[in-house]
């Protein structure tokens, strides 16, 4: 019924969005982001929390809130999950996720007050007023392929608790339930995450199961902050700095501690590589370094 009711220009958008979903595209300022190289990724807590959406029995068409503090790798983890990890495992019923479809919206502009307007801009919908119906239709289950798992819509940087964003989310929650696709709202604002989780008394929207501790409820979500284990941080450093810390590998990376964010672990690694490399060496010029806040202080 939704597809039949689309405006003529919205029908062309439907084809565009269907292609995006099939390719599991990440949309960032109107440019689809290429998949991350598999050899440069690790299965972070964010990836595993999103995987749990399919490997544990969850109601189709529900909206979930994923909260974690800044610099925990939410954007990278969600992007890797959608583009590379999603087609590589089986769901709770043993069905392969190979053909699972999805779209991710991200970018700095997403933190503005009107997320709906930001989506319209980066999706390039022009003056089409019914573009959201086209997006919903593209994510709906395909009756010709009953074994295809629920599609997923990832909304990253959903950080502003404006009235416009609340209205948009309420409409999207209703659409997800009726049309049978998952929506995951990713935020770094805990109070806003709590507010979203309590909407509809947890019936249509709830905390992402993998992002909360046992005993959590929709009205009192006990967020686990998706903390990285030390072993996972060490694996990440090994990937990003190949061959740089062989002695540290043997000693167990004493300068990496449980609970560090990926950014903090990279800051510590940068400090140690800078001691080894002189600014004039070719190897030093090849790398970009992110200074820690301490190093930026006057």
């Amino acid at each position: 019924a939704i597809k039949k009711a689309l405006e003529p220009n919205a029908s062309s958008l439907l084809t565009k969005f269907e292609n995006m979903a099939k390719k599991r595209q990440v949309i960032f300022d109107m440019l689809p982001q290429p998949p991350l190289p598999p050899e440069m990724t690790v299965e972070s807590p964010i990836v595993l929390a999103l995987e749990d959406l399919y490997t544990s029995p969850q109601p189709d068409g529900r909206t979930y809130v994923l909260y974690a503090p800044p610099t925990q790798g939410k954007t990278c983890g969600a992007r890797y999950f959608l583009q590379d990890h999603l087609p590589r495992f089986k769901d709770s019923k043993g069905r392969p996720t190979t053909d699972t479809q999805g779209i991710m919206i991200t970018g700095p502009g997403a933190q503005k007050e009107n997320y709906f307007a930001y989506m319209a801009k980066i999706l390039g919908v022009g003056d089409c007023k019914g573009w959201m119906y086209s997006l919903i239709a593209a994510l709906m289950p395909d009756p010709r392929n009953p074994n295809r798992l629920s599609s997923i819509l990832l909304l990253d940087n959903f950080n502003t608790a404006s009235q416009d964003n609340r209205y948009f989310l309420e409409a999207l929650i209703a659409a997800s339930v009726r049309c049978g696709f998952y929506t995951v709202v990713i935020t770094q604002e805990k109070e806003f995450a709590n507010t979203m989780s309590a909407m509809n008394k947890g019936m249509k929207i709830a905390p992402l199961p993998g992002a909360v501790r046992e005993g959590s409820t929709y009205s009192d979500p006990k967020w686990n902050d998706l903390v990285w284990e030390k072993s996972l941080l060490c694996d990440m450093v090994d990937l990003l700095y190949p061959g740089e810390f062989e002695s540290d590998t043997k000693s167990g990376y004493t300068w990496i501690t449980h609970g560090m964010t990926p950014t903090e672990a990279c800051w510590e690694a940068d400090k140690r590589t800078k001691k080894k490399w002189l600014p004039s060496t070719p190897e030093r010029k090849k790398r970009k370094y992110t200074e820690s806040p301490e190093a930026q202080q006057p």
Side-chain angles (χ1 to χ4, degrees):
I2 289 178
K3 292 182 179 180
K4 289 180 180 178
L6 293 176
E7 305 168 16
N9 53 344
S11 295
S12 62
L13 280 177
L14 172 60
T15 303
K16 173 182 177 178
F17 292 152
E18 284 178 335
N19 289 333
M20 285 181 177
K22 288 176 184 176
K23 296 176 182 177
R24 296 185 297 278
Q25 285 191 348
V26 176
I27 310 301
F28 181 100
D29 292 340
M30 293 187 67
L31 293 174
Q33 295 293 291
L36 295 166
E39 68 276 7
M40 292 300 291
T41 54
V42 294
E43 293 182 4
S44 71
I46 287 84
V47 173
L48 298 178
L50 289 168
E51 180 184 312
D52 191 55
L53 196 58
Y54 289 91
T55 55
S56 299
Q58 304 293 342
D60 289 341
R62 206 173 191 189
T63 299
Y64 292 95
V65 180
L66 189 162
Y67 161 78
T71 71
Q72 285 288 54
K74 295 183 293 297
T75 299
C76 247
R79 179 180 160 195
Y80 170 67
F81 170 80
L82 178 66
Q83 294 186 311
D84 186 80
H85 189 74
L86 183 56
R88 294 196 290 111
F89 61 92
K90 294 183 179 180
D91 76 339
S92 58
K93 297 180 181 178
R95 297 173 297 179
T97 55
T98 310
D99 298 326
T100 309
Q101 300 182 6
I103 295 173
M104 178 176 172
I105 304 295
T106 187
Q111 302 191 57
K112 295 180 179 179
E113 290 189 6
N114 194 324
Y115 202 98
F116 180 81
Y118 175 75
M119 285 180 66
K121 176 184 176 182
I122 67 169
L123 287 170
V125 302
D127 59 356
C128 177
K129 295 181 179 179
W131 68 268
M132 195 66 197
Y133 294 109
S134 300
L135 181 61
I136 290 168
L139 295 168
M140 288 169 59
D142 184 353
R144 297 165 298 179
N145 186 3
N147 291 322
R148 199 183 85 191
L149 305 185
S150 297
S151 300
I152 187 168
L153 176 63
L154 297 163
L155 304 181
D156 188 30
N157 284 338
F158 205 98
N159 295 327
T160 306
S162 65
Q163 196 62 47
D164 285 338
N165 282 350
R166 186 180 178 91
Y167 288 149
F168 168 56
L169 189 58
E170 287 174 347
L172 192 58
I173 289 169
S176 297
V177 171
R178 291 195 197 103
C179 301
F181 61 90
Y182 292 129
T183 299
V184 178
V185 182
I186 304 171
T187 183
Q188 64 181 26
E189 300 296 332
K190 183 177 282 189
E191 288 188 15
F192 190 29
N194 293 342
T195 300
M196 289 189 285
S197 299
M199 294 169 66
N200 300 108
K201 295 185 178 180
M203 298 302 294
K204 298 177 182 178
I205 182 170
L208 186 69
V212 289
R213 299 190 297 273
E214 191 174 345
S216 179
T217 64
Y218 72 87
S219 59
D220 182 25
K222 296 178 173 57
W223 304 104
N224 59 25
D225 293 350
L226 296 169
V227 176
W228 287 56
E229 298 287 342
K230 177 178 176 177
S231 59
L232 199 57
L233 291 169
C234 294
D235 290 343
M236 180 197 70
V237 169
D238 284 339
L239 284 174
L240 295 177
Y241 303 85
E244 287 296 322
F245 300 107
E246 292 181 1
S247 59
D248 292 286
T249 303
K250 295 177 182 178
S251 63
Y253 281 107
T254 54
W255 45 273
I256 294 180
T257 59
H258 172 79
M260 269 186 173
T261 68
T263 303
E264 288 170 338
C266 287
W267 284 342
E268 292 299 322
D270 278 347
K271 290 177 186 176
R272 286 156 176 78
T273 52
K274 285 175 183 175
K275 290 178 182 177
K276 298 177 185 177
W277 291 351
L278 297 174
S280 59
T281 62
E283 292 83 359
R284 177 66 179 80
K285 292 179 181 178
K286 288 179 183 177
R287 286 210 176 179
K288 285 185 178 180
Y289 287 97
T290 303
E291 294 285 356
S292 67
E294 295 82 359
Q296 296 176 0
Q297 296 298 319

